[in-house]
Amino acid sequence: MDVGSQGGLRCLDNNHTHFILVDDGTHGRCGVEIPVRTQLEEFISQQTMQIGGREILGSRMGEPIRAAVRAVRESATLIHNLRTFLLCQTIYNSMCNNTPCVIVEGSGRVANIISEVANLSSSKITISLIKEKLQNYFQESYDTFTETQIITWTKRIQDIVCMGSLLTILREEKDGGQGMDVAMLQAVLRASHSDDGGQENWDRQLKLAVSWNRADIAETQIFSDDRTWKPADLYPSLMVSLIEDKPAFVHLFLDHGVCLSEFLTTERLICLYNNTDPSTLIYIKLVSLATGEGWSEVAQSTIGLHHVSGILQDLLGKLAEPMYPGAPYSRTWSLFNGNIGMNDIVDVMNGDPQHLKYPVRDLLIWCIVQHRAELSEVFWNLTQDSVAGALLCTKILRELAKEEEGMANTEEMTSLADVYEGRAVGVFSECFSNDEKLSDNLLTHVSAEWGNASVLELAQEADAQIFMSQVGVQLSLTNVWWGRLSADNSVLQVLLCMFLFPLIYSGLLTYRTRAGNSVSCTAETQCEQEAMGVRCDQKNVMCSNMGSALCRPRPYSCLWKIMAFFNAPIIKFYYNYLSYVGFLVLFAYVLIVDFQTYPSWREYLLYAWVITLLCEELRQLFYDPAQYGFVTNAYRYITNFWNQIEVLALCFFAVGVICRLVRTDTVYLGRVFLSVDYIFFCIHLLQVFTVSSVTGAQVIVFRRLLKDTYFFLFIAFILMVAYGVSKQAILYINETRWDWIFRHVLYYPYLLYYGDLPLDVDGLNFDVTQCAQNTTGSDVPLCVYNDGNGNPLFPQWLTIILLCLFLILGTLLIVNMAIAVIGLVYNDVESHADQLWKFYRFSLIKEYNDRPALPPPFIVFSHLYLLLKCAICRQPPWGYTALRRVLDECQKSSLLSWESYMKDNYQHKQQQQQQESQENLVKGTSKRVSAVMRLVKMKKRGKGHRLEGRLAVLEEQMEQTTQYLTWIISALTENGVCSNTLTLDFTEPKRILATTTDSTA
C-alpha cells in the first residue's frame, strides 16, 4: 500500500469490511465524522428487535458497542498524533452517550494504555504515568507529542476510567479465549446493572441475552440470587426462544419455574404454527390448506388448529384420533408473513387463556414437524408416555421424508426418525429388563395423549422394525399368540387336543397366568382380571404372603378351558388353515371331476363355503371395535397384501359363478374364470408359511424381490413388444387374426428369453405349404412376405440384425442385470429377513386375535354370535383387550410414572456411555491440557508484570536517593565540609537495573 505520497489524506483500514463515508464539505480534515458516528450509534440503540420485519419483543435492542481495534501504523508522525486523539475522543463521546465500550488488550497502542491503567483510580493516573506509557508504545514518535496533547489525553483517559460501568477490558489469555460477542454482551449487562430500572431493566437484559443466544451468560448474570423472576415474566422470551430455535434458553426457562401447562394456550400454539419456518414442508402444507378454504393470497392465509389437526391426520394415516378434535376457528397471527406488532403480541400473551390438555405433546409435535432435533429433545424428555411419543414422532418424520423425497432435508428427517426410534427402543429395553409384566402393559395400553393408539399400533404404522424385533415385544406377541395357553406347550400337544377334544380336560395342556407362570389344571376363575390392574397385583401379592394353605387357587371350569382353547389365536390359525385346505380340495374336485351343466350339491356346498369367506372379509372391513372409522379401517384392510389376494380371488369367483349360472352357453367361460380363480386361492395359502420364522422370512424375501425387480420386468416387456411389433410388420402383411397377432407380437418374443429361436427370420426354412397366403378362413399361420412362388421378399439381413439386437439387449443385458439385482436384493433382505418377519408378525397375530373362533364354513355361527354380542349388547369380543387395554387413571398414572423412571435410567446410562467413549475422553483430556497451559501462561505473565513493577519502583527509589545524596553533597560543599571534586556515580547501577528490566520484559 502506498502511504508515502498520500499527503494529508488517509488510507482506509483493511481490518474493516464496511465503511461509512461522511462528507461535510471540507477537504483533508479529520474528526468531523465523530458527531455523526455518535448520532448513528444513538439511533441504532433506539431500534427494536425484529423478526422478518416485525417487532416481537417491544424492547430496545440494547446499546451499541464500540470496540477498540488495532490501529494501522502510518509513517507520518502527524497521523499518529491525530489518530491517538481521535480514538480517545471517540471512546469518550460514546461513553458519554451511555454506550458501553469493549477494549481489546493487545489490539493497539491506545487500547494497551487504557487496558493497563483501567484498574487504577483516577488519582493514580498521572501525567507522568501517561508520559511513560506513551514513551513505551510510541517510541519513534514520542518526541512529536506536545505537552498540551499529553495533558488532554491524560484527562480523557481519566474520564474514561471513571466511567467503569461502561468500560470492559477483554484480555484473551486471562478470559480463557472468550469471543468478542461474550465480551460485548457482558459490557451491555454491566451497563444495565448500573441503571435503576427495576423489572423493566431485567427484562431488557434478558431479551438482549436471548437475541444473542447466550444462555450461559443469562444463567450466571441475569438469573442471580438477588432477582426474583415470575414465570409470567419469562413468557415473551420463551416464545421468541421457541420461534428462533434456542433450546438452551427453553431449558433455562423451564429450570426457573416456567410451567408449560400455564404457558401454552390455544392462542399461543396458533401463533407458533403461524410462525413456523416458511421453508419447511409443514408450513407449505398448512398454508396450502388454509388457502384452499377461500383465501385469495397465500400471504393472507391464517392457520388454525383445525388445519393443524387435518395435516397431522394425513401424516399419521388416520391411525390416531384427531389431536385437536373440533378445534374452533380463532384469531391468528403471523410474525413472518402477516402484519403483527407489539400490541398483537400483548394480546397473545394476555388474552383469555384457553389452556391445552397436553402442552408438552403439542410443543413436541410442533418441533418435530420442523425437524428441530435439539428443541424436540427438550420436550420429549418431559413427556410421560415417552415410548408412544417417540414412535409417533418417528411416524411423522418418515411421512414427511417420503413427501420431501429428493430434497435436502430428507436425509436429516430420516436420521432424526431413526434417533427417535432408537430412543423408543432404549426406553422399552430398560423397562423390559426391569419388569416384564409392566412392559407388556406398556405395549398394549391405549394412550389418550397420543390419539388413543397403543404402542404396538404406533410401531406398526411408523414402520419401526427395530422396535418390533426386540425380545420384549416378541415375547409379548408370543403370549398373545398363545392366548391363555402356555407357550411351553408343544405343537404336538396342541394338534392332539385339536383332533381329540377330550384331551383338553386331561391335563395335557398347560395354561398361562397373568404373572407368566404355567399351571396344569388350576388357576383363578375370575376372567375379568385379564386386564391386570394394580389392584389385582396387590391382591396376588397379599395372597402369596398369606401362604399356600390359605390361598389355593380354585380349578378351572370346563367351560373356561373350552373358551381358552378355542379362542387362542394359534388354535384359530391352525383350524382356519385346515379348513382352507379342505376348501381347496373341494374346489379342485368340483373343477376337475364334478363341473356339470347344472350345479351338483358339492358345487352348492362350495358356493356356501365361499359365502362364509366373504362374510369374514366383510367382518374385517366393517367391524371396528377400536372406533377408527370406516375410512381408516377400509384403508388398513385394503393395504394388506393377503387381503388384496383374497378380494381378487372373490371377485374372480363371483364373475365365474355369474357366467356359470346365467346361461348354458357360458358355462365353459365360467369354468375358465373359476380355474384362474383357483390360482389366487392357492396363493393365499402361502400365508400359512408366515407363521414360521424360517419360511415366513422367505415369503417376505419373495415379496420384496417381486417389488424390486418390477423395473427390469417393465424394460423387458418394452423390448419384447418393440421387437415383436417390428418383426410382425416386416414379415407379415395385414394380419387380422388377433390370436396370431398375440402369438407373433408377445408370445414368440417372450420365448426368446428362454432360448427358443424363431425360424421365420430368414428364408431358408420357408415352406409355402405350411402357411396361408391370406387370412380368409384359414387356421394356419400367414406366410411371410413372398412373390407367390415360394421366394421370400422381406429383407432377411434386417430381421437377423433385429433378432441379434434383441438377444443382446434383452437376453444378455436385461436378464443378467435382473439376475444380478435379484442376488443383491436377496442378500440385502436376507440379512435382516428375521427382523422383517418379526415386524409383519404383529399383523398376523392381530388378525387372528380378532378373528372368530370357528373356522369356515362354521364361522357363520360365530358371526351371528358376534352380531348379537357386539352390536346389540355392546360388549367387546373375547380376547380383544389382549392388544388394547384401557387403564383407569390410577393404573395409568402408576404405569407412566414407572416408565418415566425407566427413561431417566436409560438417559443416565447413555450419558455414562458417552462420557466413557474414547472420543470424549480425548476431548476431555485436550480441554484439561489447554486449561493448564492457559493457567501456566497467566502465572508466568503475572510474575513478569510483578517483577517489572518492582524494578520500576526500585529505579524510582534509586533516583530519589541520588537526588537526596546530591543535595547533601552540595550542601556540604557549600559549607566547606567536603571537596568539590567529590561526586557520586550511579551510572553503573542504573545500567545494570535497566538491563535487568529489559531482560524481564
Side-chain angles (χ1 to χ4, degrees), residues 609-742:
W609 205 317
V610 173
I611 290 175
T612 60
L613 295 176
L614 176 62
C615 292
E616 173 57 23
E617 299 302 317
L618 292 177
R619 183 200 66 80
Q620 296 181 29
L621 180 63
F622 290 99
Y623 182 59
D624 186 20
Q627 299 180 354
Y628 290 131
F630 174 74
V631 176
T632 303
N633 214 40
Y635 174 80
R636 298 180 66 181
Y637 173 83
I638 202 63
T639 52
N640 184 278
F641 174 77
W642 302 111
N643 289 338
Q644 295 172 0
I645 298 296
E646 191 73 17
V647 170
L648 193 62
L650 291 174
C651 291
F652 266 83
F653 191 88
V655 174
V657 170
I658 291 174
C659 295
R660 167 82 167 85
L661 299 178
V662 171
R663 296 172 57 182
T664 57
D665 56 347
T666 59
V667 171
Y668 183 77
L669 180 61
R671 183 189 185 116
V672 172
F673 272 101
L674 292 176
S675 300
V676 175
D677 181 51
Y678 186 80
I679 299 175
F680 293 107
F681 279 112
C682 289
I683 293 176
H684 190 269
L685 187 64
L686 291 175
Q687 189 181 14
V688 71
F689 297 107
T690 59
V691 178
S692 172
S693 60
V694 178
T695 57
Q698 298 303 319
V699 172
I700 294 173
V701 171
F702 177 72
R703 290 173 52 186
R704 176 71 180 273
L705 289 175
L706 289 179
K707 180 180 179 181
D708 290 344
T709 57
Y710 169 78
F711 175 74
F712 292 95
L713 295 177
F714 183 72
I715 294 179
F717 178 77
I718 292 177
L719 290 176
M720 185 175 64
V721 172
Y723 172 74
V725 172
S726 61
K727 184 176 75 75
Q728 173 73 14
I730 293 173
L731 294 179
Y732 304 102
I733 306 299
N734 299 329
E735 175 66 78
T736 59
R737 295 170 297 178
W738 288 104
D739 54 342
W740 284 101
I741 292 176
F742 173 79

Side-chain angles (χ1 to χ4, degrees), residues 34-95:
I34 295 179
V36 177
R37 182 191 331 211
T38 304
Q39 295 176 7
L40 179 61
E41 292 173 350
E42 180 65 21
F43 173 77
I44 294 175
S45 67
Q46 296 176 355
Q47 302 308 303
T48 56
M49 300 182 67
Q50 298 179 351
I51 295 180
R54 302 289 177 258
E55 179 183 348
I56 62 174
L57 287 178
S59 64
R60 296 177 61 177
M61 291 180 62
E63 297 77 1
I65 297 177
R66 172 66 181 171
V69 297
R70 181 181 297 276
V72 179
R73 290 180 59 102
E74 306 289 350
S75 60
T77 57
L78 177 61
I79 295 178
H80 291 301
N81 300 349
L82 186 58
R83 185 181 298 275
T84 304
F85 171 75
L86 294 178
L87 189 54
C88 291
Q89 188 67 28
T90 300
I91 297 174
Y92 173 74
N93 290 344
S94 299
M95 297 179 70

Side-chain angles (χ1 to χ4, degrees), residues 682-939:
C682 289
I683 293 176
H684 190 269
L685 187 64
L686 291 175
Q687 189 181 14
V688 71
F689 297 107
T690 59
V691 178
S692 172
S693 60
V694 178
T695 57
Q698 298 303 319
V699 172
I700 294 173
V701 171
F702 177 72
R703 290 173 52 186
R704 176 71 180 273
L705 289 175
L706 289 179
K707 180 180 179 181
D708 290 344
T709 57
Y710 169 78
F711 175 74
F712 292 95
L713 295 177
F714 183 72
I715 294 179
F717 178 77
I718 292 177
L719 290 176
M720 185 175 64
V721 172
Y723 172 74
V725 172
S726 61
K727 184 176 75 75
Q728 173 73 14
I730 293 173
L731 294 179
Y732 304 102
I733 306 299
N734 299 329
E735 175 66 78
T736 59
R737 295 170 297 178
W738 288 104
D739 54 342
W740 284 101
I741 292 176
F742 173 79
R743 288 190 182 97
H744 288 292
V745 173
L746 295 178
Y747 178 61
Y748 293 152
Y750 172 73
L751 294 179
L752 284 175
Y753 286 116
Y754 303 97
D756 188 5
L757 298 179
L759 301 177
D760 54 355
V761 294
D762 55 22
L764 297 178
N765 299 313
F766 176 64
D767 186 2
V768 70
T769 61
Q770 301 296 325
C771 60
Q773 296 293 337
N774 55 69
T775 59
T776 304
S778 176
D779 293 333
V780 297
L782 187 67
C783 292
V784 298
Y785 183 55
N786 60 88
D787 58 359
N789 296 322
N791 299 318
L793 298 178
F794 64 90
Q796 302 180 31
W797 60 272
L798 180 59
T799 55
I800 293 175
I801 290 176
L802 292 177
L803 176 62
C804 294
L805 289 176
F806 178 78
L807 291 176
I808 292 174
L809 296 177
T811 306
L812 187 61
L813 293 181
I814 300 299
V815 173
N816 285 280
M817 286 178 61
I819 294 173
V821 170
I822 289 175
L824 292 175
V825 172
Y826 181 83
N827 293 331
D828 178 56
V829 178
E830 180 68 19
S831 61
H832 57 277
D834 183 68
Q835 177 177 301
L836 289 173
W837 171 76
K838 291 177 180 178
F839 175 76
Y840 288 111
R841 184 178 179 230
F842 171 74
S843 300
L844 179 68
I845 293 176
K846 186 176 185 300
E847 176 184 352
Y848 282 91
N849 180 72
D850 297 338
R851 186 182 285 265
L854 296 178
F858 309 106
I859 197 173
V860 64
F861 300 108
S862 296
H863 290 158
L864 295 176
Y865 171 76
L866 186 65
L867 180 65
L868 178 66
K869 183 177 181 179
C870 299
I872 300 178
C873 301
R874 302 291 182 181
Q875 295 180 3
W878 176 281
Y880 170 71
T881 57
L883 290 174
R884 284 181 61 89
R885 293 191 179 100
V886 180
L887 306 179
D888 57 34
E889 290 299 325
C890 179
Q891 298 170 353
K892 180 180 177 181
S893 176
S894 176
L895 179 65
L896 297 184
S897 298
W898 171 76
E899 183 196 16
S900 299
Y901 178 71
M902 292 296 103
K903 179 180 67 176
D904 294 339
N905 290 344
Y906 161 73
Q907 292 176 334
H908 179 67
K909 292 181 179 179
Q910 290 294 109
Q911 293 175 358
Q912 286 183 337
Q913 291 178 0
Q914 293 178 359
Q915 292 175 357
E916 295 174 357
S917 63
Q918 190 70 22
E919 182 179 357
N920 287 331
L921 289 176
V922 173
K923 288 182 178 179
T925 304
S926 176
K927 290 180 179 179
R928 287 191 290 269
V929 171
S930 300
V932 171
M933 293 300 296
R934 284 197 300 268
L935 291 175
V936 171
K937 290 181 180 179
M938 291 172 58
K939 189 174 182 180

Side-chain angles (χ1 to χ4, degrees), residues 297-413:
E297 298 181 3
V298 175
Q300 297 178 349
S301 63
T302 308
I303 298 172
L305 285 187
H306 58 292
H307 300 131
V308 178
S309 182
I311 296 298
L312 292 179
Q313 284 296 103
D314 293 339
L315 294 176
L316 296 176
K318 300 186 182 300
L319 164 70
E321 294 182 358
M323 295 295 180
Y324 311 105
Y329 177 81
S330 58
R331 181 186 178 189
T332 56
W333 296 265
S334 177
L335 304 185
F336 285 114
N337 300 308
N339 297 322
I340 179 171
M342 182 58 196
N343 294 332
D344 293 328
I345 287 294
V346 173
D347 291 341
V348 176
M349 296 299 171
N350 300 326
D352 296 334
Q354 298 178 5
H355 297 287
L356 297 168
K357 188 175 182 181
Y358 304 109
V360 177
R361 178 204 67 180
D362 299 332
L363 290 174
L364 175 59
I365 294 176
W366 177 78
C367 297
I368 284 297
V369 295
Q370 300 179 86
H371 41 88
R372 295 182 174 181
E374 296 183 10
L375 194 58
S376 61
E377 183 179 2
V378 174
F379 295 113
W380 180 77
N381 290 332
L382 299 176
T383 58
Q384 280 193 319
D385 205 348
S386 54
V387 175
L391 292 173
L392 186 131
C393 293
T394 304
K395 169 66 175 178
I396 293 176
L397 288 168
R398 286 177 176 166
E399 290 298 324
L400 290 174
K402 289 179 182 177
E403 298 189 20
E404 286 195 12
E405 186 174 0
M407 299 180 67
N409 296 329
T410 303
E411 184 177 354
E412 179 183 352
M413 287 187 290

